[in-house]
Amino acid sequence: MTNKVQVPRISDAVAASLERRILEGSLKPGDRLSPERELAAEFGVSRPSLREAIQKLASKGMVQSKQGGGTYVTDSLNSTFFDPWRDMLGNHPNLREDMLEFRHMLEGQAAAWAAERATDADLLLLEQTFNALRDAFASDDTEKRSAADIAFHQAIGDAAHNALLGHMSAALLRLMHDNIRLNLGELKSIPAASSLLMRQHAAIFEAIRERKPQAARNAAETHIDFVRETLAQSLRSAARRETAERRLNTDFSPSTFS
């Protein structure tokens, strides 16, 4: 008796291909899938087979169809990490130091792998995000700076070509969005901090572009260490100012002690 070869269903093959694009970051949370007619032509399948494939992904929570508005990639791969930690970070500000320590480890490895694995397309995107970051730092808009900073670091995570690291990086940067904005706001008050930050970003970018993994790792770790230490100093200064102001506003009149 011969064993029959199991031929994959067309819809399974299409679903696997779309799933791979989501895993590798070609399709990101919030992205809209191409119209049904275009996707069916791209994969060379019938529209019923394509619909079945999309339904398979929807059952996993990876895509969501909106009535009359197309089908979108969800953030299901990141939200299970993001949601509980967002609340924890809000309730326990000291976790910010732990987050920066974790970024030190994660982004050092991401930069090293990006230097080894980045394609020409990755390097082009990295250059675009670096130029956008430089333009943002030339402005005084903290929100614009933080968005550009996140995009640059995410481009490095994607260029590392490790699906788990890429999604972990995206979740962590999303989690730290408010804290990155706060960090940059705090650092703006420190003379020369902005120019130092840009030189650090430039060092990471150049090391990746020149295919120097160890230099890229060192540059990324140096950058996070600088942010950690400078922010710690800024927060200590802010705490001292608050203490001094409380002392200044204390009523030392005799009636206070009677």
Side-chain angles (χ1 to χ4, degrees):
M1 181 177 178
T2 58
N3 293 325
K4 292 183 178 180
V5 176
Q6 294 295 321
V7 179
R9 291 168 58 89
I10 292 175
S11 60
D12 288 339
V14 174
S17 181
L18 289 171
E19 190 173 82
R20 184 168 60 252
R21 295 182 188 185
I22 295 172
L23 286 172
E24 70 187 14
S26 298
L27 287 171
K28 297 184 181 297
D31 284 354
R32 181 178 179 175
L33 298 186
S34 299
E36 187 179 277
R37 182 181 65 257
E38 294 179 16
L39 273 180
E42 178 184 345
F43 287 109
V45 299
S46 67
R47 293 173 74 167
S49 292
L50 177 66
R51 291 190 199 108
E52 187 177 344
I54 291 175
Q55 183 55 45
K56 291 176 186 294
L57 294 182
S59 68
K60 295 182 179 181
M62 300 183 75
V63 299
Q64 183 179 35
S65 296
K66 298 182 179 180
Q67 187 67 33
T71 302
Y72 294 81
V73 178
T74 69
D75 65 348
S76 61
L77 291 176
N78 300 338
S79 61
T80 52
F81 172 87
F82 173 82
D83 290 338
W85 281 101
R86 177 182 56 186
D87 293 337
M88 292 288 285
L89 194 60
N91 294 330
H92 303 280
N94 289 339
L95 281 175
R96 184 164 57 175
E97 168 62 22
D98 290 345
M99 289 291 180
L100 285 169
E101 187 175 55
F102 188 69
R103 277 190 72 189
H104 178 278
M105 175 190 70
L106 187 72
E107 295 196 22
Q109 185 61 66
W113 278 342
E116 293 176 353
R117 303 172 180 177
T119 66
D120 290 342
D122 291 324
L123 294 177
L124 178 59
L125 178 60
L126 190 58
E127 182 177 8
Q128 291 171 348
T129 57
F130 175 75
N131 289 338
L133 180 64
R134 184 175 54 198
D135 292 342
F137 267 70
S139 75
D140 202 41
D141 188 333
T142 301
E143 184 62 39
K144 185 177 179 181
R145 286 186 176 198
S146 64
D149 185 275
I150 288 171
F152 175 73
H153 286 286
Q154 185 56 52
I156 294 173
D158 290 341
H161 287 279
N162 179 290
L164 192 59
L165 185 147
H167 284 278
M168 180 66 74
S169 176
L172 184 63
L173 289 168
R174 179 184 168 198
L175 177 64
M176 293 196 68
H177 177 267
D178 289 341
N179 287 278
I180 289 170
R181 184 177 56 204
L182 177 61
N183 294 354
L184 292 173
E186 292 282 351
L187 291 173
K188 278 173 60 179
S189 65
I190 299 173
S194 291
S195 60
L196 280 170
L197 284 171
M198 275 312 303
R199 287 204 293 272
Q200 290 164 11
H201 286 117
I204 300 170
F205 171 54
E206 292 296 335
I208 293 173
R209 185 165 63 176
E210 294 172 7
R211 307 290 186 182
K212 297 179 178 178
Q214 190 57 51
R217 181 193 297 275
N218 292 342
E221 291 177 348
T222 296
H223 167 59
I224 300 300
D225 284 341
F226 171 79
V227 172
R228 288 171 63 190
E229 181 56 33
T230 309
L231 181 60
Q233 291 178 9
S234 179
L235 293 176
R236 285 195 295 268
S237 296
R240 286 194 291 267
R241 287 195 300 271
E242 290 175 3
T243 299
E245 288 172 3
R246 284 195 297 272
R247 289 171 179 163
L248 183 64
N249 294 325
T250 299
D251 184 1
F252 290 107
S253 61
S255 60
T256 305
F257 303 98
S258 59

